[in-house]
Amino acid sequence: MYQWRNFQFFEEKATGANVAQELKEKVECSTSGRGQIAVATEDASVHVIDRGLKLSYSFQAHSTSVLYIQQLKQRNMLVSVGEDDTSTPRVTAVNLKMWDLDKMQPEGSSTTGPACVRTLKVFAPKFPEAKITSFLVFEEAPPILMVCIGLETGYIYCIRGDVARERVSRLRLSVDPAVDNQPACPVTGLGFRVDGAILQLFAASTRSVNLFDMHQQPPQKHELDMLGGEGLNMTMSDNQELVVGRPEAVYFYEADGRGPCWAFDGEKRYMGWFRGYLLVVTATPKKASKNVFNIYDLKNKLIAYSVPIGDVAHVLCEWGSIIVLTKDQKVLCIVEKDMGSKLAMLFKKNLYTVAINLVQSQHADAASTAEVMRKYGDHLYEKQNYGEAMQQYIRTIGQLEPSYVIQKFLDAQQIHNLTNYLEKLHEKGLATADHTTLLLNCYTKLKDVAKLDEFIKGDESREGEHRFDVETAVRVCRAAGYYQHALYVAKRAGEHESYLKILLEDLGRYEEALQYISSLPLYEEAVTLKQYGKTLVGHKPAETTAALMKLCTGTSGGGKENGPPLNGETSNLLPSPIDFVHVFIDQPKWLMKFLEMYIETVKDSLAHLEIHNTLLELYLSEDLRTPVLTEVVSDTIPVKRTLKETESLKEYDPNIKESDPFAVWGVKSKSSKNIVLNGTPKVRPKEKTIPIVVVPPVEKETPVQRAERLKKALALLKNGWGPHEQQPRYDVDLALVLSQMHNFRDGLLFLYEKMKLYKEVMNVYMKDGDYQGLISCCKRLGDASRGGDSSIWSDVLTYFGERGEDCSKEVKEVLVYIERDNLLPPLIVLQKLAKNATLTLSVVKDYIARQIQQETRYIDEDRRAIEKYQEETATMRAEVHELKTNARVFQLSKCTACTSALDLPAVHFLCMHSFHQRCLGDNEKECPICAPTYRQVLDLRRNLEQNAGDHDTFFQLVRNSEDGFSVIADYFGRGIFSKPEKPSSPVNGLARTSTNSSFA
């Protein structure tokens, strides 16, 4: 005890009034709870005191005296035990009363104060009367109470039940009664202990300490100690331990016996418990009238407060304060200082360990605890005790900003402490990317590979969890040259991008990268190949193309299916090969192979248009040159480029230009002077390479390969637009543009022919001067019987007429087809050929002769037709004249319709047909035999008249026809300039009818 430090963590609080002096009576007992204090004085009155230590109200509890009182915690009720007068003089009865402090007596009643809800007699015939030495009330589930009354005879009377309704049961417990020659020992202390549903009762006498199990019937007694104690020297701790004070020490009793003890010497006058503190009033050996009031902090082993005090009568704890009533009617109010004041006191004395223990025992928040540890760490740091200071800083992780600590230990001499702090920071999962970077840099500075392995691979058991920032760890390990560590972290974290960057850019393990990509899910594999496919194709074109083929088709590179047969729906779920065209930007030949394999495997892809367009562009490209990248040999060293070496680079290639787009990184082999190309040289981490400008060799294409590509282009055009397909599988406009750009004649001819642009086909032959090809094409495309356009012969003739060179043979052949189909008049033919000065009359001599003979024959035929028409016209006019001037005699004796003999009424027509009127029916105005023919003539005439009036059609035919005169003559024949005639009144123009005679 003498080693414990003494502090003033409490202070005396001034009170406005001395309530003890106002009472003017000696205080016999007291209690506190529910924000108030109640004291009982000698005159059997109970006085209620408020928070300001002022008397609130008083009431007469008993008539003679009040022995004990207790404030209930769950209900605002007061339980008192005292003596009351009886009807027998000088005889009193000990009663237990329950007061409802919320129900005050109404004004004007005989008594004032709270209402007494129940009065019970303590003693009964089975429970003989004895002096009460201790008293305790335990609240079970309201309204059930357990009232325990300790007696001088060594017994405990227990009253359990609803006291307010007097529904109670009584029980007597034997503690230390008189046995044989041993006198009885009074029960001096009581205390309840609750363990779940088990209720236990501590009972102490001057001779022993006992424990009763109240859940058993009858309660079983367990003796805990053969030594007892006085009543005021007992209390209950927050942990439900019975605390007994004796002159030599303070003892703690638990359910299983005596626990720890504290050697506090001195006679104990009073003991209490307040918020984890032990309150002890100890007599001063030298001064009998003086005592010392100590407040012990048992957790931190210090004296929180100590003050000399007189004789203590009562100690109460309420409102967060300790109220001490002395026997000389003084009131001492002691309150605990706030945590800041306590810590300031300890910091002033540099008692940081005490401060840390204090805040931890007071269950302070983590921020306050960390602040104390920070100050302790700062104190140790100033004393240059860096190791212990770091231990304190580590304990602040989670509350203190890490940069505060890191800045203090950035010195190279403190790298071990800094590493320790950063490790703890990562263990608690509070590290940021910058902290990870710093820790990995510390490992690399220390060259501590074991620590690096432990940090990176130490959390293998926590699947899917990482105590550091993965991206930062990969970046730092790569920068420091620890590629294997970076590879491990990236793979375990599932960082496909970082993993592949290390394989491709740092290690050059392209095959392994391809295998890793192939193991990914379909979507991730597609995304990854889009990102890194260009690098892979540059170094492993065959393998990468096979992987892309498998991805886009679900088959291997050779076309063997790995799964079920590929159909339209299945292929639509796979990535499109067009998405990967960009990865072949430097490898067009492999792109061509990839697309060829794809269209052979997948016949109905949704991307067939883009695929065929791309393939066609590749086939027609002028030159598919591919850079050749050579793998780096294992014995390479970095190139140390100086000014002289820069000049000497010209001996490898005098045409080197620094602006060349094919400049790459290079290294020089130990065994030769040759420059070996590589995207990223494999060198040791400390060594560096410099960029040197080297033009890589290219694989040139032979003429045979070029011709083979053109054959593939033509086959692609033909296969993509079959004879029975209306739309091609490629963009026709793009195909035309590409064919024209690259002068692909066969493609142009095919496309023009498929689009029925025959004149454009002719223009291709004409542009090339291919006479035989032109005529052969005209023979194929100029046959109108097969859907061709015969007018192209006219264009060919015009072409030969404008050539200005001898093409007599071709002209003769063209004239044969023009003459056969009668495409042009001879005059037009002569006009077209007259423009070619090299052609002689002999070329067209036979043609003109035949045309003249034919025209002469046509003239003779027309003359004979004219004479015939003139004769027929004259005959018709004579007949018309006769009909108009002479009468017509009808001599038919039979009906033309039914061939029966005519009888009246009959109808005769001028066309010499006669009918029974009944055979004609309702139609008596025209001859049923001649009417259809006459109607056709009328319709034809009407159409001719309408067409003669259609001037727009007339002028269009004149403009488009090569022989406009024939069009005008045809319209003259239709009567374009004739005046319209009035139609004759009869319907048929030839008939008259009679219903009463046989002639008209």
Side-chain angles (χ1 to χ4, degrees):
M1 181 184 69
Y2 298 106
Q3 298 177 357
W4 285 21
R5 297 177 181 272
N6 195 336
F7 299 96
Q8 296 297 316
F9 289 162
F10 288 78
E11 60 184 354
E12 184 177 351
K13 180 182 178 181
T15 58
N18 192 343
V19 68
Q21 294 179 358
E22 292 182 7
L23 297 177
K24 299 180 181 179
E25 297 288 342
K26 180 181 178 182
V27 177
E28 294 292 339
C29 55
S30 61
T31 185
S32 63
R34 298 185 68 87
Q36 59 190 8
I37 294 176
V39 297
T41 54
E42 291 179 339
D43 57 356
S45 298
V46 174
H47 309 275
V48 179
I49 301 172
D50 60 13
R51 188 183 185 91
L53 295 181
K54 295 182 179 180
L55 184 62
S56 180
Y57 59 88
S58 303
F59 63 93
Q60 188 73 29
H62 295 270
S63 59
T64 304
S65 63
V66 179
L67 302 178
Y68 293 95
I69 59 176
Q70 183 172 337
Q71 172 74 48
L72 300 184
K73 304 297 183 182
Q74 300 182 26
R75 292 179 291 172
N76 192 19
M77 288 189 175
L78 183 71
V79 180
S80 65
V81 175
E83 296 179 345
D84 292 297
D85 294 334
T86 61
S87 57
T88 303
R90 297 183 181 180
V91 177
T92 59
V94 179
N95 296 325
L96 183 143
K97 293 184 178 182
M98 179 175 286
W99 306 88
D100 190 346
L101 302 183
D102 291 334
K103 294 182 180 180
M104 303 298 293
Q105 295 289 342
E107 296 182 3
S109 58
S110 58
T111 58
T112 59
C116 179
V117 297
R118 185 61 60 188
T119 300
L120 293 178
K121 290 185 178 182
V122 175
F123 302 110
K126 293 183 180 181
F127 298 90
E129 184 175 353
K131 182 180 179 181
I132 299 176
T133 55
S134 58
F135 175 74
L136 184 63
V137 179
F138 176 75
E139 296 178 80
E140 297 185 33
I144 305 302
L145 299 179
M146 172 70 77
V147 181
C148 296
I149 302 173
L151 303 177
E152 187 180 23
T153 57
Y155 291 100
I156 299 175
Y157 290 169
C158 298
I159 303 174
R160 183 179 183 275
D162 187 356
V163 177
R165 298 183 180 181
E166 204 171 349
R167 297 176 182 177
V168 298
S169 60
R170 296 175 181 264
L171 177 67
R172 185 175 70 173
L173 303 177
S174 177
V175 181
D176 277 326
V179 178
D180 298 334
N181 296 327
Q182 292 184 355
C185 295
V187 179
T188 56
L190 299 172
F192 282 103
R193 181 180 185 274
V194 180
D195 185 6
I198 298 174
L199 179 63
Q200 296 174 321
L201 174 65
F202 286 106
S205 66
T206 56
R207 189 165 56 197
S208 64
V209 177
N210 305 276
L211 179 69
F212 291 91
D213 292 329
M214 303 303 292
H215 63 284
Q216 297 179 354
Q217 294 298 331
Q220 297 297 319
K221 172 185 174 182
H222 304 281
E223 190 173 43
L224 303 180
D225 197 353
M226 295 296 294
L227 297 175
E230 298 297 332
L232 295 178
N233 296 338
M234 298 181 188
T235 187
M236 292 294 293
S237 69
D238 293 336
N239 296 327
Q240 301 187 90
E241 300 169 317
L242 178 65
V243 184
V244 180
R246 301 191 184 102
E248 71 280 5
V250 174
Y251 299 89
F252 285 75
Y253 291 91
E254 299 176 355
D256 53 353
R258 188 168 70 181
C261 67
W262 303 90
F264 299 151
D265 294 338
E267 180 184 357
K268 311 302 184 295
R269 298 289 179 86
Y270 180 85
M271 289 182 56
W273 196 268
F274 174 74
R275 293 182 177 178
Y277 295 101
L278 177 63
L279 311 180
V280 180
V281 178
T282 307
T284 303
K286 296 181 180 181
K287 298 181 180 180
S289 61
K290 290 294 182 179
N291 303 309
V292 178
F293 180 50
N294 292 327
I295 301 177
Y296 293 99
D297 185 350
L298 301 181
K299 291 182 180 179
N300 299 314
K301 296 182 180 180
L302 56 85
I303 300 175
Y305 185 70
S306 180
V307 63
I309 198 171
D311 292 335
V312 176
H314 303 276
V315 178
L316 301 169
C317 299
E318 190 66 26
W319 310 304
S321 305
I322 303 172
I323 294 92
V324 182
L325 301 179
T326 61
K327 292 182 179 180
D328 55 357
Q329 300 296 90
K330 292 183 179 180
V331 178
L332 183 64
C333 184
I334 300 173
V335 296
E336 186 177 7
K337 294 181 179 180
D338 61 273
M339 183 61 69
S341 300
K342 296 180 186 178
L343 295 177
M345 186 186 306
L346 296 174
F347 293 156
K348 188 175 181 180
K349 298 179 181 180
N350 293 330
L351 299 176
Y352 293 98
T353 55
V354 178
I356 293 173
N357 295 333
L358 179 63
V359 294
Q360 291 178 344
S361 64
Q362 295 290 331
H363 303 290
D365 59 277
S368 300
T369 305
E371 180 64 17
V372 176
M373 295 177 180
R374 181 195 65 80
K375 290 187 177 182
Y376 188 26
D378 293 345
H379 173 70
L380 295 173
Y381 186 86
E382 292 176 358
K383 295 174 65 176
Q384 297 183 355
N385 192 349
Y386 301 114
E388 294 185 8
M390 179 54 72
Q391 294 301 319
Q392 296 302 320
Y393 288 135
I394 289 175
R395 297 173 68 183
T396 65
I397 292 177
Q399 299 296 328
L400 182 62
E401 178 63 34
S403 60
Y404 179 84
V405 181
I406 294 173
Q407 290 178 355
K408 290 178 175 291
F409 291 87
L410 285 177
D411 189 86
Q413 298 177 355
Q414 303 299 328
I415 190 171
H416 292 281
N417 288 323
L418 179 59
T419 303
N420 185 23
Y421 179 80
L422 293 172
E423 288 175 346
K424 299 297 182 182
L425 203 62
H426 282 81
E427 287 179 4
K428 296 186 178 182
L430 300 175
T432 64
D434 294 334
H435 300 149
T436 303
T437 303
L438 187 57
L439 178 59
L440 293 175
N441 286 332
C442 289
Y443 286 147
T444 56
K445 292 289 184 181
L446 294 172
K447 298 181 180 180
D448 194 342
V449 180
K451 279 283 189 179
L452 184 60
D453 290 340
E454 181 182 358
F455 175 74
I456 290 179
K457 304 178 181 181
D459 57 347
E460 292 182 351
S461 60
R462 298 186 297 178
E463 189 67 26
E465 298 181 5
H466 305 280
R467 58 183 180 177
F468 52 81
D469 184 75
V470 174
E471 182 180 356
T472 302
V474 171
R475 175 174 51 81
V476 175
C477 289
R478 288 184 65 191
Y482 291 92
Y483 301 125
Q484 295 299 333
H485 293 80
L487 198 66
Y488 173 85
V489 173
K491 184 175 182 180
R492 187 170 183 274
E495 293 289 338
H496 311 310
E497 182 177 356
S498 301
Y499 184 81
L500 291 172
K501 280 186 178 180
I502 299 168
L503 286 178
L504 299 176
E505 299 177 5
D506 299 330
L507 301 177
R509 287 148 57 175
Y510 305 105
E511 292 184 1
E512 183 178 347
L514 270 175
Q515 294 176 359
Y516 179 79
I517 293 174
S518 300
S519 65
L520 298 176
L522 178 64
Y523 175 76
E524 294 183 2
E525 182 181 1
V527 173
T528 307
L529 281 175
K530 289 178 185 178
Q531 186 173 2
Y532 299 102
K534 181 180 178 182
T535 303
L536 292 170
V537 169
H539 295 84
K540 297 291 180 181
E543 294 82 352
T544 306
T545 303
L548 288 171
M549 186 66 186
K550 180 179 179 181
L551 175 66
C552 295
T553 64
T555 61
S556 62
K560 297 181 179 180
E561 296 185 359
N562 297 335
L566 202 64
N567 52 37
E569 295 182 359
T570 305
S571 62
N572 293 339
L573 298 176
L574 298 173
S576 172
I578 298 300
D579 298 337
F580 303 96
V581 170
H582 66 281
V583 306
F584 294 94
I585 190 67
D586 295 329
Q587 299 288 339
K589 288 186 177 181
W590 283 102
L591 174 59
M592 185 170 62
K593 294 179 181 179
F594 169 56
L595 296 179
E596 287 174 349
M597 290 188 294
Y598 182 82
I599 61 176
E600 290 177 2
T601 306
V602 182
K603 302 300 182 182
D604 52 355
S605 173
L606 294 178
H608 64 83
L609 183 66
E610 295 83 358
I611 295 173
H612 283 75
N613 291 342
T614 306
L615 264 179
L616 182 61
E617 187 173 356
L618 291 171
Y619 288 150
L620 297 180
S621 297
E622 295 297 334
D623 191 7
L624 294 180
R625 293 189 298 177
T626 303
V628 179
L629 298 182
T630 306
E631 294 293 332
V632 177
V633 294
S634 59
D635 57 340
T636 58
I637 60 174
V639 174
K640 306 296 183 179
R641 181 166 132 178
T642 62
L643 292 176
K644 293 183 179 180
E645 290 183 81
T646 304
E647 295 294 332
S648 65
L649 285 175
K650 294 183 178 180
E651 67 183 64
Y652 299 105
D653 189 349
N655 297 322
I656 289 179
K657 298 179 181 179
E658 294 184 359
S659 60
D660 195 290
F662 291 96
V664 297
W665 289 78
V667 294
K668 186 186 296 180
S669 174
K670 293 179 181 178
S671 57
S672 66
K673 295 182 180 181
N674 296 330
I675 298 297
V676 182
L677 303 177
N678 183 25
T680 305
K682 301 177 183 177
V683 295
R684 291 186 295 273
K686 288 186 176 181
E687 299 175 335
K688 298 181 179 179
T689 60
I690 59 174
I692 60 175
V693 182
V694 178
V695 178
V698 293
E699 182 182 357
K700 295 184 178 180
E701 189 179 37
T702 63
V704 177
Q705 293 174 333
R706 166 67 175 167
E708 185 67 24
R709 283 197 293 113
L710 294 180
K711 289 181 181 180
K712 291 182 178 180
L714 183 59
L716 178 69
L717 293 175
K718 292 182 177 180
N719 295 333
W721 198 349
H724 302 292
E725 295 180 359
Q726 294 182 353
Q727 295 295 331
R729 300 172 66 86
Y730 48 81
D731 188 346
V732 178
D733 296 334
L734 177 63
L736 284 173
V737 171
L738 291 175
S739 299
Q740 291 175 353
M741 287 175 56
H742 300 285
N743 196 23
F744 184 37
R745 175 185 174 186
D746 294 339
L748 282 174
L749 293 175
F750 172 78
L751 293 172
Y752 286 148
E753 185 173 345
K754 289 293 290 185
M755 299 171 68
K756 298 186 182 301
L757 300 175
Y758 301 138
K759 293 186 179 182
E760 298 296 335
V761 176
M762 299 299 103
N763 290 334
V764 174
Y765 287 106
M766 294 174 183
K767 183 178 179 181
D768 296 338
D770 186 359
Y771 297 161
Q772 293 302 323
L774 177 60
I775 294 176
S776 299
C777 181
C778 287
K779 291 178 181 180
R780 187 176 71 256
L781 303 179
D783 190 352
S785 62
R786 297 181 179 179
D789 184 7
S790 58
S791 64
I792 61 177
W793 290 106
S794 176
D795 297 334
V796 173
L797 185 65
T798 303
Y799 167 72
F800 285 130
E802 297 176 352
R803 287 295 293 173
E805 59 185 31
D806 188 8
C807 48
S808 301
K809 180 181 178 181
E810 290 79 9
V811 171
K812 289 180 180 180
E813 190 172 358
V814 172
L815 290 176
V816 171
Y817 290 96
I818 292 177
E819 181 181 2
R820 185 192 67 179
D821 296 333
N822 194 19
L823 299 177
L824 294 175
L827 181 60
I828 300 300
V829 173
L830 293 176
Q831 290 176 350
K832 291 179 179 291
L833 296 179
K835 298 178 181 179
N836 191 339
T838 61
L839 295 177
T840 61
L841 184 61
S842 60
V843 176
V844 296
K845 177 181 178 182
D846 296 337
Y847 167 75
I848 294 299
R850 290 192 298 272
Q851 289 295 315
I852 292 174
Q853 292 176 359
Q854 183 177 2
E855 291 295 333
T856 303
R857 186 172 60 253
Y858 289 158
I859 291 172
D860 294 340
E861 291 177 356
D862 291 340
R863 184 178 292 112
R864 286 193 295 270
I866 292 171
E867 292 175 353
K868 179 182 177 181
Y869 291 149
Q870 287 176 350
E871 293 175 357
E872 291 177 355
T873 302
T875 302
M876 290 181 182
R877 287 177 178 175
E879 184 179 357
V880 171
H881 178 73
E882 183 181 357
L883 290 174
K884 290 181 177 180
T885 58
N886 299 326
R888 199 70 177 257
V889 178
F890 300 97
Q891 296 180 352
L892 290 178
S893 60
K894 293 184 178 181
C895 178
T896 305
C898 63
T899 67
S900 299
L902 283 172
D903 54 3
L904 297 177
V907 179
H908 304 278
F909 292 93
L910 294 178
C911 60
M912 302 309 295
H913 291 141
S914 301
F915 301 90
H916 292 112
Q917 188 177 10
R918 62 178 178 274
C919 291
L920 292 176
D922 296 334
N923 189 10
E924 299 179 356
K925 295 183 179 182
E926 60 183 2
C927 175
I929 302 300
C930 301
T933 303
Y934 184 61
R935 191 177 294 111
Q936 291 179 358
V937 174
L938 292 178
D939 291 340
L940 179 61
R941 181 179 179 182
R942 189 181 302 110
N943 292 333
L944 290 174
E945 291 176 354
Q946 290 178 355
N947 293 334
D950 189 357
H951 305 299
D952 294 336
T953 304
F954 168 75
F955 288 111
Q956 184 177 0
L957 291 175
V958 172
R959 285 193 298 268
N960 296 336
S961 176
E962 295 183 358
D963 187 5
F965 179 78
S966 61
V967 176
I968 297 173
D970 181 56
Y971 267 79
F972 266 109
R974 296 180 185 182
I976 188 172
F977 299 113
S978 301
K979 294 182 179 180
E981 298 179 0
K982 296 182 180 179
S984 54
S985 56
V987 175
N988 55 11
L990 297 175
R992 296 182 65 186
T993 63
S994 176
T995 58
N996 299 318
S997 64
S998 60
F999 61 93

Short mmCIF file of all heavy atoms in Angstrom, two decimals, residues 138 229 579 871 992:
data_model
loop_
_atom_site.label_atom_id
_atom_site.label_comp_id
_atom_site.label_asym_id
_atom_site.label_seq_id
_atom_site.Cartn_x
_atom_site.Cartn_y
_atom_site.Cartn_z
N PHE A 138 -34.06 -6.51 -1.78
CA PHE A 138 -33.70 -6.83 -3.17
C PHE A 138 -34.97 -6.84 -4.01
O PHE A 138 -35.96 -7.47 -3.66
CB PHE A 138 -33.00 -8.19 -3.25
CG PHE A 138 -32.70 -8.62 -4.65
CD1 PHE A 138 -31.65 -8.05 -5.35
CD2 PHE A 138 -33.47 -9.59 -5.29
CE1 PHE A 138 -31.37 -8.43 -6.65
CE2 PHE A 138 -33.20 -9.97 -6.59
CZ PHE A 138 -32.14 -9.38 -7.28
N GLY A 229 -16.84 -9.72 10.21
CA GLY A 229 -16.51 -8.31 10.19
C GLY A 229 -17.65 -7.50 10.77
O GLY A 229 -18.75 -8.00 11.02
N ASP A 579 -13.92 -7.59 -83.70
CA ASP A 579 -13.46 -6.93 -82.48
C ASP A 579 -11.96 -7.06 -82.28
O ASP A 579 -11.39 -6.34 -81.45
CB ASP A 579 -14.19 -7.52 -81.27
CG ASP A 579 -15.70 -7.29 -81.34
OD1 ASP A 579 -16.09 -6.35 -82.03
OD2 ASP A 579 -16.44 -8.06 -80.71
N GLU A 871 -57.18 0.82 -152.65
CA GLU A 871 -58.28 0.09 -153.23
C GLU A 871 -59.35 -0.22 -152.20
O GLU A 871 -60.56 -0.06 -152.46
CB GLU A 871 -57.77 -1.21 -153.86
CG GLU A 871 -56.88 -1.00 -155.07
CD GLU A 871 -56.31 -2.31 -155.59
OE1 GLU A 871 -56.59 -3.37 -154.94
OE2 GLU A 871 -55.58 -2.28 -156.59
N ARG A 992 -80.68 -0.22 -138.81
CA ARG A 992 -81.99 0.38 -138.58
C ARG A 992 -82.91 -0.75 -138.19
O ARG A 992 -82.78 -1.89 -138.69
CB ARG A 992 -82.49 1.06 -139.84
CG ARG A 992 -81.62 2.24 -140.27
CD ARG A 992 -82.19 2.90 -141.49
NE ARG A 992 -83.46 3.50 -141.21
CZ ARG A 992 -84.25 4.04 -142.14
NH1 ARG A 992 -83.89 4.05 -143.41
NH2 ARG A 992 -85.40 4.56 -141.81
#
